[in-house]
């Protein structure tokens, strides 16, 4: 047959095996060995073009799972509701009071119940059907959103209404986040888990680009419509969740729930690596992320801009966060991701300094894009490492505890708002400096612990 004929025959065989075109032109062969008209090719590698195509597909591989796609779509509308709600509540709270401290009061009303109930929400996520838990929780959030919209529509809304509604919302949120996060690995499995978590983050951040802009436009046009939109998106999310399969409990629901919760706490304490990752999330939430609740202050008192600019500011953060999450999606299998996390954490804190001291709109928006990028890379990788270091039957309880750290952002907003009122935007700059330094310290402790064998369990 000859050399050319053998090569063509090999290409046909490979095409039948892998289901794609494979010709001698797109294969690189190393260590060719020829014997009497036949040949043996060793270490066959795809061409650079094939690698690029495969890499692009691998970037979104978790979305090939229909159940995860359904969960992702439902999550998309849920987060859209939450993002629009954050912007509209912050705007109306500042419009009613003119005080950054009141922004903190409204935020803490939602955050305090989350801190108390997050561990309980984690236990519920492990003990019951996760789909039913999500649908019940989001139905309650729908009712609360409708009530809020009606108060705005009838011009009866007051600060104390926002506080009370925030308390009820804060009591429901702990049953959504840990349940959804515990559901992801059960749908996609361990192999696709890093990619699925990064895709979950990308979906949330796509909303951070789209939803705040929508909120800003709706507030400028008709604030009432903005509040009704929150309820409408919750309804769409609930309808989407009906297509998810039921997921059985991962622990025995007849056991004592208090003992199960305490076991979750002891599991975290004994896992040094897991404890450090949760601690790093705590730092970012308490020192770095409260700036988001203060954007209404910077928009009005520092930049002296209209309410539509507030939407642009949230959008700038969302654009950066979207690119940050896409970066993590693409690098989800990279063993150097913890190095990316360290760099991103330091940059997150450091970038808050020039933003807080800026009075220029364009420069501030640029800083917010970079802040959003670094914040998202840091938090997404951190979230990924928390789940990867957790046993399957403890997903809910660990994510419930981790959710407590996220719930601290509204709590941290209260003292931050007080000092912003008294001192000004430089308060955010000081918090950013502390964040950068403490991330470096915790990262060095984690590295020393790994080198000394102080990690109880690690799943790379």
């Amino acid at each position: 047959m000859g050399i050319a004929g053998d090569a063509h025959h090999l290409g046909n065989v490979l095409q039948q095996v892998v289901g794609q075109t494979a010709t001698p032109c797109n294969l690189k062969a190393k260590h060719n060995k020829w014997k009497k008209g036949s040949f043996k090719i060793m270490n066959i590698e795809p061409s650079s073009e094939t690698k690029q195509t495969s890499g692009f597909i691998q970037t979104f591989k978790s979305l090939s799972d229909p159940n995860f796609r359904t969960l992702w779509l439902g999550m998309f509308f849920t987060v859209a509701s939450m993002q629009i709600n954050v912007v509209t509540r912050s705007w109306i709270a500042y419009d009613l009071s003119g005080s950054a401290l009141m922004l903190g009061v409204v935020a803490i009303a939602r955050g305090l119940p989350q801190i108390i109930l997050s561990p309980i929400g984690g236990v519920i996520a492990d003990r019951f059907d996760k789909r039913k838990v999500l649908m019940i929780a989001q139905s309650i959030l729908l009712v609360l959103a409708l009530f809020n919209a009606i108060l705005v529509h009838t011009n009866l809304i007051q600060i104390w209404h926002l506080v009370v509604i925030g308390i009820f919302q804060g009591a429901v949120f702990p049953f959504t986040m840990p349940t959804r996060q515990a559901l992801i690995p059960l749908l996609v499995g361990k192999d696709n888990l890093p990619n699925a978590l990064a895709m979950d983050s990308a979906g949330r951040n796509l909303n951070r680009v789209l939803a705040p802009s929508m909120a800003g436009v709706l507030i400028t046009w008709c604030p009432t419509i903005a509040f009704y939109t929150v309820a409408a998106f919750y309804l769409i999310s609930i309808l989407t969740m009906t297509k998810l399969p039921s997921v059985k409990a991962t622990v025995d629901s007849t056991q004592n729930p208090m003992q199960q919760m305490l076991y979750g706490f002891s599991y975290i304490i004994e896992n040094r690596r897991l404890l450090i990752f949760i601690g790093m999330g705590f730092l970012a939430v308490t020192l770095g992320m409260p700036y988001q609740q203060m954007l209404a202050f910077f928009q009005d008192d520092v930049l002296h801009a209209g309410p539509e600019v507030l939407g642009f500011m949230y959008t700038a953060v969302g654009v950066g966060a979207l690119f940050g999450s896409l970066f993590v999606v693409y690098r989800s299998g990279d063993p150097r991701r913890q190095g990316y996390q360290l760099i991103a954490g330091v940059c997150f804190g450091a970038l808050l300094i020039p933003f807080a001291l800026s009075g220029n709109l364009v420069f501030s928006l640029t800083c917010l894009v970079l802040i959003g990028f670094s914040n998202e890379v840091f938090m997404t990788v951190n979230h990924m490492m928390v789940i990867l270091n957790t046993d399957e039957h403890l997903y809910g309880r660990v994510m419930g505890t981790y959710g407590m750290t996220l719930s601290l952002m509204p709590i941290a907003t209260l003292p931050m708002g007080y000092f912003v009122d008294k001192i000004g935007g430089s308060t955010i700059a000081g918090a950013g400096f502390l964040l950068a330094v403490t991330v470096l310290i915790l990262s060095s402790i984690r590295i020393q612990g790994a080198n000394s064998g102080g990690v109880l369990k690690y799943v790379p």
Side-chain angles (χ1 to χ4, degrees), residues 439-457:
V439 165
L440 279 172
I441 294 172
L442 263 185
S443 296
S444 66
I445 293 174
R446 176 179 57 80
I447 294 171
Q448 290 173 4
N451 292 337
S452 63
V455 180
L456 177 66
K457 176 180 181 293

Side-chain angles (χ1 to χ4, degrees), residues 49-322:
E49 181 181 354
T50 304
K51 284 182 178 179
Q52 290 173 0
T53 303
S54 177
F56 178 80
I57 294 174
Q58 286 293 101
T59 299
F60 303 99
K61 62 181 179 180
S62 57
L63 288 178
S64 63
D65 186 303
N67 289 327
F68 179 70
R69 279 201 310 271
T70 300
L71 178 65
W72 189 90
L73 185 62
M75 173 275 304
F76 186 84
F77 284 102
T78 297
V79 176
S81 299
M82 295 171 64
Q83 288 293 328
I84 296 174
N85 193 45
V86 167
V87 177
T88 52
R89 282 171 59 86
S90 295
W91 171 78
I92 202 165
Y94 199 76
D95 185 65
L96 291 171
S97 66
S99 169
L101 180 60
M102 284 298 103
L103 289 175
V105 171
V106 171
I108 199 173
R110 190 183 62 195
L112 192 58
Q114 292 185 61
I115 293 178
I116 298 171
L117 296 176
S118 283
I120 299 175
V123 173
I124 296 297
D126 285 336
R127 287 171 63 92
F128 299 101
D129 183 341
K130 294 171 178 55
R131 183 180 72 102
K132 291 182 179 178
V133 173
L134 279 176
M135 292 185 65
I136 292 172
Q138 297 199 147
S139 297
I140 297 173
L141 291 173
L142 167 62
V143 172
L144 291 171
L146 276 174
F147 183 60
N148 199 352
I150 291 170
L151 287 175
V152 174
H153 192 180
T154 56
N155 292 319
L156 296 175
I157 191 72
Q158 297 180 32
I159 286 291
W160 73 268
H161 292 140
L162 296 174
V163 171
V164 172
I165 293 172
I167 290 173
F168 282 103
Q169 287 178 333
V172 177
F173 284 144
F175 298 92
T176 59
M177 192 280 282
T179 303
R180 187 175 68 246
Q181 295 303 313
L183 185 57
I184 291 175
L186 297 178
L187 292 179
V188 302
K190 280 281 188 180
D191 291 341
N192 289 333
L193 181 55
N195 184 264
L197 293 174
M199 283 303 304
D200 178 69
S201 174
R204 285 187 284 107
N205 288 307
L206 181 58
N207 261 307
R208 292 175 69 179
V209 176
L210 301 178
S213 298
M214 180 186 296
V217 171
L218 291 176
I219 289 172
T220 303
W221 174 48
C222 179
T224 301
I225 298 298
F227 284 93
Y228 278 119
T229 301
V230 174
F233 280 3
Y234 272 127
L235 177 60
I236 296 173
S237 176
I238 293 169
L239 295 176
T240 303
M241 292 295 174
T242 60
K243 299 180 180 180
L244 280 175
S246 296
V247 179
K248 294 181 180 180
T250 53
V251 297
D252 186 356
S253 59
T254 62
Q255 294 179 358
N256 188 312
M258 182 60 67
Q259 291 180 352
Q260 291 175 334
M261 184 171 66
L262 293 177
Y263 177 74
F265 287 141
S266 64
Y267 175 85
I268 293 171
I269 293 172
E270 292 172 4
N271 189 330
R272 179 177 175 180
R273 191 180 188 90
L274 183 58
L275 187 61
I276 289 177
F277 282 122
I278 292 177
M280 293 178 79
F282 168 81
L283 286 173
V285 166
T286 55
L287 293 176
M289 294 174 70
Y291 83 92
Q292 296 182 52
Q293 299 293 331
M294 297 294 115
L295 288 183
F297 165 81
F298 284 99
Q299 165 247 316
D300 191 62
D301 285 27
V302 177
L303 298 174
H304 306 292
E308 69 280 359
V309 171
L310 179 61
F312 293 145
M313 294 173 77
Y314 278 104
T315 300
V317 176
V319 168
L322 176 61

